[in-house]
Amino acid sequence: MLRKLDTALFALLCCAGIVHAQTLPDVALPAVEKPLAPPPTREALAVAVLADYRYDDLLWENDLTAHRIYGHALEAAEPPSGSGIDSWGKNVAWPFADRQLRTGDQHAYHGEGLDFYNVGTSRGAGGLGIWYDNKLWTSRNFIRHRILSSGGKLADFEVDYAPWPVSVDRKVWETRRFTLPLGSHFTRLVSTISSDKPEPLTVGIGIGKRTTGGNGELTIDRSRGLLSWWGPEDGTHGRMAVAIRVDPRTIIDVGQDADNHLVFVKVTPDQPFVYYSGSAWNKGNGGFRERAAWDRYAANEQLDFTGR
């Protein structure tokens, strides 16, 4: 019966915690190396967790997707370390990332998900930088965090990035808020970039090109403010899918640098702007087994670009 479920119905069942990817016979999951410790609950929750045991990684996830950004302490431990966004695959509705990271082997499959997305110094799944003189100038890892909501229907937190140079001409710094509700693959990001000069900025928001090996396939839809990436097959790990959505009215251009696919938007210092970063695992929750299904979802999700 489950073989006949369409993608939309499967996604609803995943959100409700009724099924997950392991119940579908067409999904060949990696071998389980060692099961995780049992979860405290199998309830679908949206959580944000500071992993102070692992150089202040900040984890957030809901029933469909999981992510990580890196704390300042990691810069000395694992150089070079950058401010890109990491994305994990998951195939259970309940939180798993903290238990996965505590194993010290988060890149292996322990039965609930895994991290095989290699951010490196790229922007990963929706990191940003300032585009100036044909180059993307990026911050280092976040220096402060504030968790606003965790453990219910919403993961919500803020981080601060220390000032960084844009060539020799100016300096910028950023506060960014991340909000991920249950039932969506998209995290809402509200970025406020300040500067020592008042002139507008060109911000490049990126998707890493080679985070799972090869280049993957990119879909661009400027009318919807969409960059959608379908990653290459990475052995038994499968594929990761990533999408960025911005307000189409703010787009200056779409382009790339050596490491990233980029959408460029015009930003005024000290004025917040909204964008969205989404991701999915083709063997995980959501049921996105083909590129076309991910592209449709990413293009048609109803998103709010107004306010904070």
Side-chain angles (χ1 to χ4, degrees):
M1 178 184 72
L2 288 174
R3 190 181 295 272
K4 298 179 181 179
L5 291 176
D6 64 19
T7 300
L9 178 56
F10 177 64
L12 289 173
L13 293 175
C14 284
C15 293
I18 297 170
V19 301
H20 53 83
Q22 290 173 308
T23 67
L24 282 187
D26 63 334
V27 174
L29 289 164
V32 177
E33 297 194 12
K34 182 180 179 182
L36 294 180
T41 177
R42 292 179 181 266
E43 180 183 359
L45 299 171
V47 298
V49 179
L50 181 72
D52 53 5
Y53 54 87
R54 205 273 178 188
Y55 306 110
D56 293 340
D57 287 357
L58 207 160
L59 310 167
W60 73 101
E61 64 181 302
N62 65 1
D63 48 330
L64 297 174
T65 189
H67 296 276
R68 167 172 64 158
I69 53 175
Y70 305 102
H72 180 67
L74 189 63
E75 293 175 12
E78 294 183 8
S81 178
S83 56
I85 297 176
D86 193 16
S87 184
W88 294 17
K90 64 178 295 184
N91 56 290
V92 294
W94 53 86
F96 90 103
D98 181 51
R99 288 177 297 118
Q100 177 88 359
L101 190 60
R102 286 179 184 277
T103 68
D105 190 20
Q106 66 269 20
H107 304 297
Y109 182 64
H110 301 291
E112 300 182 26
L114 79 165
D115 171 23
F116 66 100
Y117 188 85
N118 182 25
V119 176
T121 56
S122 78
R123 297 299 80 206
L128 59 74
I130 308 301
W131 187 256
Y132 179 77
D133 197 21
N134 206 37
K135 178 181 176 180
L136 195 66
W137 301 83
T138 61
S139 72
R140 299 303 303 274
N141 300 0
F142 75 87
I143 58 170
R144 287 180 296 272
H145 80 286
R146 296 168 292 282
I147 294 177
L148 307 175
S149 179
S150 177
K153 296 182 179 181
L154 195 72
D156 192 9
F157 64 94
E158 286 184 339
V159 295
D160 298 324
Y161 294 94
W164 73 94
V166 180
S167 187
V168 297
D169 295 317
R170 70 191 298 180
K171 187 178 293 184
V172 297
W173 54 98
E174 182 192 8
T175 294
R176 196 186 311 167
R177 184 171 181 173
F178 299 68
T179 306
L180 177 65
L182 286 176
S184 176
H185 288 266
F186 277 99
T187 298
R188 187 177 196 260
L189 301 106
V190 183
S191 171
T192 304
I193 299 176
S194 301
S195 176
D196 58 355
K197 293 185 177 181
E199 290 79 18
L201 297 159
T202 297
V203 171
I205 304 168
I207 298 175
K209 288 181 177 178
R210 292 172 292 276
T211 48
T212 57
N215 286 320
E217 301 169 275
L218 184 70
T219 299
I220 301 171
D221 185 345
R222 290 183 61 149
S223 69
R224 296 179 183 268
L226 170 70
L227 265 63
S228 178
W229 180 83
W230 183 252
E233 192 80 36
D234 185 17
T236 60
H237 291 157
R239 304 174 187 266
M240 289 299 294
V242 176
I244 293 170
R245 290 275 303 275
V246 303
D247 186 340
R249 297 169 296 181
T250 66
I251 294 177
I252 298 172
D253 202 357
V254 175
Q256 60 182 302
D257 65 7
D259 298 319
N260 307 283
H261 302 290
L262 295 162
V263 57
F264 301 108
V265 298
K266 184 177 181 180
V267 171
T268 300
D270 297 318
Q271 292 189 11
F273 68 97
V274 178
Y275 72 100
Y276 288 80
S277 168
S279 74
W281 182 31
N282 79 320
K283 298 190 177 192
N285 284 0
F288 298 106
R289 309 294 179 241
E290 299 177 352
R291 176 188 178 189
W294 173 248
D295 281 353
R296 283 194 302 271
Y297 169 81
N300 293 311
E301 186 78 343
Q302 297 299 304
L303 304 175
D304 179 13
F305 293 100
T306 62
R308 297 199 59 163

